[in-house]
Amino acid sequence: MGPNGVYQSGDRRNRLGRLNTYLFKKASIAIGGLVVFACCVLLLERLLRIFEVVTTSTQPASDASSMIISLLPYYLGIAVPMALMLGTIITVDRFSRSSELTAALGAGVSLTHMTKPFLAIAAILAVISILIEGWLQPLGRYQYRAVENSVKQTAFTAALREGMFTTVGSRTYFGGTDKPDAGIGPIFIYEDTYENGVRSGFRLTTANEGELIVREESGAPVLQLGDGRGYQVEDNRRLTDDIGFGGMSIAGAATIVPFRMRGNDERELTSSELFENRRGDLRTEIDRNTNNSALHLRIARTVMLFILPFIAVPFGLNYGRNPSSAGIFVGVVFLVSLQKGLEFAQSLGAAGTIPPWLGVWGIVTLLALFAAFIFHKSAFKMGQPPLTSFAQWLSHANGQVRTAWRSMRQRVRGTAEAHRA
């Protein structure tokens, strides 16, 4: 500060720098917490399905963990724009309610300058979003499907259910549950036999009791049978073998069919692979419009992060003695509507109804125009914040509708009384 009590240029730069740092820290904490919270909430919806799938696995904890980790990039892609929008609204709202915003504006700090920290966070999140949506999401989606496919091929764990016949490969199992201490029995196994690739008969195995164990080395399930008999039938009528046994083991894991190669779905392709296939000549199983629509959607979601702060900052503004709390609610509704609009535009492009780029970038263009309008009105024009003005307009419109309704009712009533007279 100079001798006359006026801020020198260096003092002014430091003051504004400190304000930006302060807003950056506050917004980073809010946005980071919202990302974690949103991922946890979104994962809860899928956990029940994951637990249902891994109940038939021989390694449920490992398979469930692998599936959850594979899903994280998908839910991060949803959580990042939501956290950026809501975190910015919450930070600006708190800044307004504590009168810090009024003090900053009174000191000559513009709203445009106070938006810079949120743009810096948006730039960081954009880089993260490119990595998540461009590479981690496709690979995670494929890994999730591969683990789910492997778990569903587990033999005995899926087959030996209470009082049910279940077919796994060429075998049909039935396991009773009458034995104590989680024992299995009686047991019935039917298996087709083949010779030179042609079915030649079937084999029947029965046992009074059995026990399901898992090999420590491979994790493969093994069914140990006790006190049973085996029958071999050829040509569906001739009994060739009839053997009794006191103990026998049957490997439970069916032959695991390797999961298909990655790339059968455009959502499993990385952004670089989608770009290379933009002409549809490298992966003929994926339609060209579908490929390009997915590519445009990923790019648009990244660009959208730079636009959201110019909408979230006006949504969080609060002036006057009666601050509004509608910013968070409006922000959530706005983001959900935007997400559904982008998905609908992508589906139109994938179906070939419109060019793949038109729907997605048309919505982004409208979003940018709306952001420019609402931010310009908040930063360069005097008046109430946008949401406050909108609430006042709704209240005024509601009053006009009520007045018109009462007037119409009075006219109808007067007309009816005149007819009666």
Side-chain angles (χ1 to χ4, degrees):
M1 181 177 292
N4 297 325
V6 179
Y7 278 101
Q8 303 294 333
S9 60
D11 296 322
R12 182 177 175 83
R13 283 195 298 269
N14 291 336
R15 178 167 58 87
L16 296 181
R18 289 170 186 166
L19 177 61
N20 280 344
T21 302
Y22 173 75
L23 288 174
F24 185 88
K25 289 181 179 179
K26 291 291 185 180
S28 298
I29 294 173
I31 292 172
L34 285 170
V35 167
V36 175
F37 175 75
C39 284
C40 293
V41 171
L42 293 171
L43 275 173
L44 286 176
E45 176 269 336
R46 188 63 71 93
L47 280 179
L48 292 178
R49 180 179 174 184
I50 291 177
F51 290 153
E52 182 180 351
V53 172
V54 299
T55 52
T56 62
S57 172
T58 57
Q59 298 175 329
S62 175
D63 291 333
S65 301
S66 178
M67 296 174 78
I68 291 173
I69 293 173
S70 300
L71 282 175
L72 276 178
Y74 170 73
Y75 288 122
L76 276 173
I78 299 175
V80 164
M82 181 181 297
L84 176 62
M85 182 82 170
L86 299 185
T88 302
I89 293 175
I90 291 172
T91 303
V92 176
D93 179 71
R94 291 175 178 173
F95 198 61
S96 300
R97 290 173 183 268
S98 62
S99 299
E100 293 172 306
L101 176 63
T102 304
L105 294 175
V109 183
S110 67
L111 193 63
T112 303
H113 183 85
M114 285 186 282
T115 307
K116 291 180 180 179
F118 305 108
L119 288 176
I121 296 175
I124 297 173
L125 293 179
V127 175
I128 298 174
S129 179
I130 291 174
L131 177 63
I132 291 175
E133 296 206 19
W135 281 268
L136 296 183
Q137 272 190 16
L139 299 178
R141 185 183 299 274
Y142 175 78
Q143 180 63 24
Y144 175 86
R145 292 174 174 177
V147 173
E148 185 179 28
N149 177 76
S150 176
V151 170
K152 288 182 177 180
Q153 292 191 63
T154 303
F156 285 152
T157 312
L160 296 176
R161 297 177 178 175
E162 297 184 7
M164 293 179 60
F165 286 92
T166 306
T167 301
V168 179
S170 61
R171 291 175 179 172
T172 299
Y173 299 89
F174 174 85
T177 57
D178 299 333
K179 299 295 180 181
D181 300 327
I184 304 172
I187 296 172
F188 171 84
I189 303 174
Y190 172 91
E191 181 180 7
D192 289 324
T193 56
Y194 295 86
E195 185 175 350
N196 297 326
V198 179
R199 183 178 179 278
S200 59
F202 59 88
R203 182 183 297 111
L204 299 177
T205 304
T206 61
N208 183 49
E209 59 184 3
E211 182 181 4
L212 183 63
I213 64 173
V214 178
R215 292 174 179 166
E216 295 183 359
E217 310 82 30
S218 61
V222 176
L223 181 61
Q224 293 185 332
L225 303 179
D227 188 19
R229 300 193 68 85
Y231 307 92
Q232 179 70 38
V233 178
E234 299 292 341
D235 301 328
N236 294 329
R237 59 189 179 189
R238 183 163 50 91
L239 181 64
T240 58
D241 290 317
D242 181 358
I243 302 174
F245 58 86
M248 183 175 69
S249 298
I250 297 179
T255 302
I256 301 298
V257 179
F259 194 52
R260 57 172 175 78
M261 298 293 292
R262 182 178 61 85
N264 191 46
D265 186 345
E266 76 280 358
R267 294 175 295 176
E268 295 177 359
L269 296 179
T270 64
S271 293
S272 58
E273 291 170 339
L274 287 175
F275 181 78
E276 293 171 356
N277 190 49
R278 63 189 183 279
R279 294 185 178 87
D281 51 356
L282 296 181
R283 297 180 181 270
T284 56
E285 68 274 13
I286 298 178
D287 181 70
R288 177 181 175 181
N289 290 330
T290 301
N291 181 95
N292 294 339
S293 296
L295 179 61
H296 284 293
L297 180 63
R298 292 184 188 180
I299 299 174
R301 281 177 173 169
T302 303
V303 173
M304 186 179 68
L305 294 177
F306 292 97
I307 304 175
L308 290 180
F310 293 102
I311 300 175
V313 169
F315 278 3
L317 292 177
N318 273 308
Y319 302 142
R321 299 179 180 178
N322 298 315
S324 173
S325 301
I328 296 177
F329 173 75
V330 174
V332 171
V333 174
F334 182 84
L335 274 178
V336 172
S337 303
L338 179 61
Q339 178 66 22
K340 294 303 179 182
L342 288 173
E343 292 177 357
F344 179 69
Q346 183 203 13
S347 65
L348 291 179
T353 306
I354 58 176
W357 59 269
L358 180 59
V360 172
W361 290 108
I363 291 179
V364 173
T365 301
L366 293 176
L367 181 68
L369 292 174
F370 174 72
F373 168 76
I374 193 174
F375 188 80
H376 182 270
K377 185 177 180 180
S378 302
F380 301 104
K381 292 186 177 182
M382 297 296 294
Q384 293 289 341
L387 291 185
T388 303
S389 300
F390 182 68
Q392 291 176 352
W393 179 83
L394 284 180
S395 177
H396 177 72
N398 184 45
Q400 293 290 332
V401 171
R402 287 178 178 270
T403 301
W405 175 251
R406 284 196 297 266
S407 176
M408 186 175 61
R409 289 181 60 185
Q410 290 175 358
R411 290 179 182 177
V412 171
R413 186 179 301 172
T415 304
E417 291 178 354
H419 281 296
R420 290 175 185 174

